[in-house]
Amino acid sequence: MREIKTVTILGANGAMGSGSAGVIAAFGGAKVHMLARDVEKAKQGIEAAVASVKTDTIRARMIPGSYDADLEKAVAESDWVFELVAESYEVKEPINARIAKARRPGTIVSTVSSGLSIGRLAKAYDEDGQKHYYGTHFFNPPYKMILCELVTHAGNDKKVTQALGEYLEKVLGRAVVYTNDTPAFAGNRIGFQLMNEVAHFAEKYADKGGIALMDEIMSGYTGRAMGPLATADFVGLDVHKAIVDNIYDNTKDEAHETFKLPGYFQKLIDAGKLGMKSGGGLTKVVKHADGKREKFVYNIKTGEYDPYPKFDIPFIKEARQKIKESDYKGAMDVVKKASGFEADIARYFISRYISYSLSLVGEVVDTKENTDGAMGFGFNWVPASAFVDFLGGPKETIKLMEASKIPVPKLLKDAKEGKKFYELGDKLDARSLFKG
């Protein structure tokens, strides 16, 4: 792979395009062609890129342009063409056809996609183009979220893959996770499995607290800064639907049925209630005349919004206190020993998360460190392997899974007792991801 001195960004005015461009210009020192539908939008992308990395020094290296007037010329002089246009074959494939005609041999071309087939997109290129075509799934916002899923396909060259991975890691400061060309790759497949199944449980327990209850049960003491359903509201229910529908349609693993979109999600989507970006979805915040803000939550049974409730669940309070004391194993001991349906649900989802993450090793990724990195760096969730250690090791974890009737992955069955299961500790301190 040749040195990356010039980069073309396609989709420069979007949040991901401008954010990625900022990282490339700031850390990579590259000249960046910023292309959008028109030059004014490209200029807006430059301003957003500068703001994202909080330095004006990159502005001089960023050149605005449009697809119609500048694509072929920019691509021809680029060492890397980074495409971040809409998540659709209908949009990406015509752009790829133009890139394929203009690129020089040896130029890297990559796409940001949360689940489209990289192998299919690569077909627009000749043999050299396919060798140099990748998925580079940055997470938003790129300056703060350092994960990059580097997605390979059958036509790639391993030496190029290694060189690109080293560039992304050593020059751009990415935490690189290598994934195979499978639906939703690693992070979204694991993350949206949990989020979507939690959404089903919210419907099952609608009369006991529904959405709010599930996010309370799966709150910070279970190793995530934001509850799963709050996360769905943050990313957008329409985006959530696109990801789970893609996984449901294109996979057949043991968790297949959990990827069915809940009916109430579709109802909210149809009503234009897409989450935070539309002013409300699973929750909404109302500003009263006196300036005070009040949070409401969607009632799955009535279709109305109720005041967001507070809960007093003793084992959760106890686990949170343990985490405040930096006693992470103690917190998991509380969860393991607690009684009541809320504790059963917590144990079920902790077991499911570990099981599903480890089950993807071999199909989606080659090692568990890649799924651990995807969840830790991409979602800010405690990685599955770290949970195994916090729960007391493989045997204790298997006991928890069997009690919750969750499949035990072979990787866990074969693990040696008494040896650390989590191996990213020097790169990612899992303890920092728990919230008391």
Side-chain angles (χ1 to χ4, degrees):
M1 188 181 90
R2 65 171 175 262
E3 186 180 356
I4 293 177
K5 295 180 179 179
T6 303
V7 176
T8 292
I9 297 284
L10 302 169
N13 60 310
M16 280 296 293
S18 59
S20 301
V23 167
I24 292 164
F27 294 103
K31 179 171 82 172
V32 183
H33 290 282
M34 299 284 281
L35 303 190
R37 282 191 293 272
D38 60 62
V39 174
E40 285 309 309
K41 289 188 182 297
K43 288 179 179 176
Q44 290 168 16
I46 291 174
E47 295 307 312
V50 169
S52 74
V53 294
K54 300 178 175 62
T55 174
D56 199 57
T57 58
I58 67 170
R59 191 189 303 274
R61 296 197 293 275
M62 308 187 95
I63 305 160
S66 70
Y67 301 145
D68 287 346
D70 303 294
L71 187 147
E72 279 74 15
K73 183 183 176 184
V75 168
E77 68 169 78
S78 291
D79 306 301
W80 177 18
V81 179
F82 193 7
E83 172 269 297
L84 303 101
V85 300
E87 179 83 343
S88 158
Y89 291 119
E90 289 73 26
V91 177
K92 289 182 184 289
E93 287 178 335
I95 288 276
N96 271 338
R98 291 179 65 186
I99 297 169
K101 289 179 182 176
R103 72 175 283 278
R104 292 177 292 158
T107 293
I108 296 288
V109 183
S110 70
T111 183
V112 160
S113 168
S114 59
L116 298 181
S117 167
I118 303 306
R120 172 174 166 174
L121 292 170
K123 287 179 181 176
Y125 297 88
D126 60 16
E127 185 178 348
D128 180 79
Q130 291 192 28
K131 186 188 293 186
H132 291 85
Y133 188 85
Y134 293 88
T136 44
H137 185 203
F138 283 29
F139 278 57
N140 198 27
Y143 185 66
K144 293 180 180 178
M145 303 298 289
I146 64 171
L147 177 67
C148 173
E149 289 184 310
L150 182 54
V151 189
T152 58
H153 62 94
N156 288 131
D157 181 299
K158 288 183 179 178
K159 289 181 180 178
V160 178
T161 303
Q162 182 181 352
L164 179 57
E166 287 177 359
Y167 168 80
L168 290 165
E169 190 167 316
K170 294 177 181 177
V171 178
L172 298 190
R174 302 298 90 188
V176 178
V177 164
Y178 296 85
T179 82
N180 298 324
D181 187 15
T182 55
F185 316 128
N188 282 348
R189 180 127 164 218
I190 297 165
F192 281 82
Q193 187 287 317
L194 183 79
M195 289 155 61
N196 205 60
E197 192 172 11
V198 168
H200 282 290
F201 269 59
E203 190 165 26
K204 182 179 178 181
Y205 291 94
D207 60 344
K208 294 183 181 294
I211 291 163
L213 175 67
M214 287 303 117
D215 266 4
E216 177 73 5
I217 293 172
M218 297 305 296
S219 57
Y221 77 98
T222 68
R224 48 191 51 82
M226 188 184 290
L229 298 180
T231 304
D233 235 20
F234 176 75
V235 302
L237 302 189
D238 53 339
V239 175
H240 180 100
K241 172 182 165 61
I243 291 171
V244 298
D245 283 356
N246 177 42
I247 299 170
Y248 184 79
D249 290 343
N250 293 291
T251 64
K252 295 291 180 185
D253 60 32
E254 53 85 16
H256 182 249
E257 291 304 306
T258 69
F259 287 104
K260 272 188 181 174
L261 187 75
Y264 70 95
F265 267 50
Q266 188 63 59
K267 185 177 176 182
L268 285 164
I269 292 167
D270 291 344
K273 297 173 180 177
L274 305 179
M276 290 173 65
K277 64 186 177 184
S278 68
L282 301 177
T283 62
K284 69 177 182 178
V285 176
V286 173
K287 187 176 181 180
H288 295 295
D290 60 3
K292 289 183 179 178
R293 293 175 179 270
E294 186 178 4
K295 188 176 181 181
F296 291 81
V297 61
Y298 183 71
N299 186 316
I300 297 167
K301 286 195 163 184
T302 67
E304 303 295 328
Y305 285 88
D306 300 332
Y308 203 95
K310 290 185 178 179
F311 298 93
D312 185 11
I313 303 172
F315 88 90
I316 294 179
K317 288 167 70 176
E318 191 180 346
R320 285 175 177 159
Q321 185 56 42
K322 293 284 186 185
I323 286 164
K324 285 178 182 175
E325 296 164 1
S326 300
D327 183 2
Y328 306 99
K329 285 187 177 180
M332 289 303 102
D333 282 341
V334 168
V335 175
K336 286 193 293 186
K337 294 171 184 175
S339 59
F341 81 94
E342 299 100 334
D344 290 339
I345 291 170
R347 288 189 288 265
Y348 175 87
F349 278 113
I350 290 170
S351 297
R352 168 68 90 180
Y353 172 58
I354 299 167
S355 171
Y356 197 63
S357 293
L358 297 180
S359 75
L360 298 185
V361 177
E363 176 203 351
V364 177
V365 295
D366 292 336
T367 69
K368 62 183 173 61
E369 284 66 53
N370 282 305
T371 51
D372 286 343
M375 301 319 296
F377 290 115
F379 277 71
N380 285 337
W381 290 6
V382 171
S385 296
F387 263 115
V388 174
D389 290 337
F390 292 131
L391 287 166
K395 283 184 182 176
E396 282 292 309
T397 305
I398 288 169
K399 261 197 242 177
L400 197 75
M401 286 180 178
E402 289 176 341
S404 296
K405 297 181 180 176
I406 293 291
V408 179
K410 186 176 184 299
L411 196 62
L412 196 59
K413 288 178 184 175
D414 294 345
K416 290 181 180 178
E417 202 64 33
K419 186 184 175 186
K420 249 185 166 181
F421 195 74
Y422 180 58
E423 298 182 59
L424 285 181
D426 57 333
K427 294 182 179 178
L428 178 66
D429 182 359
R431 296 169 299 180
S432 67
L433 300 176
F434 282 106
K435 304 297 174 188

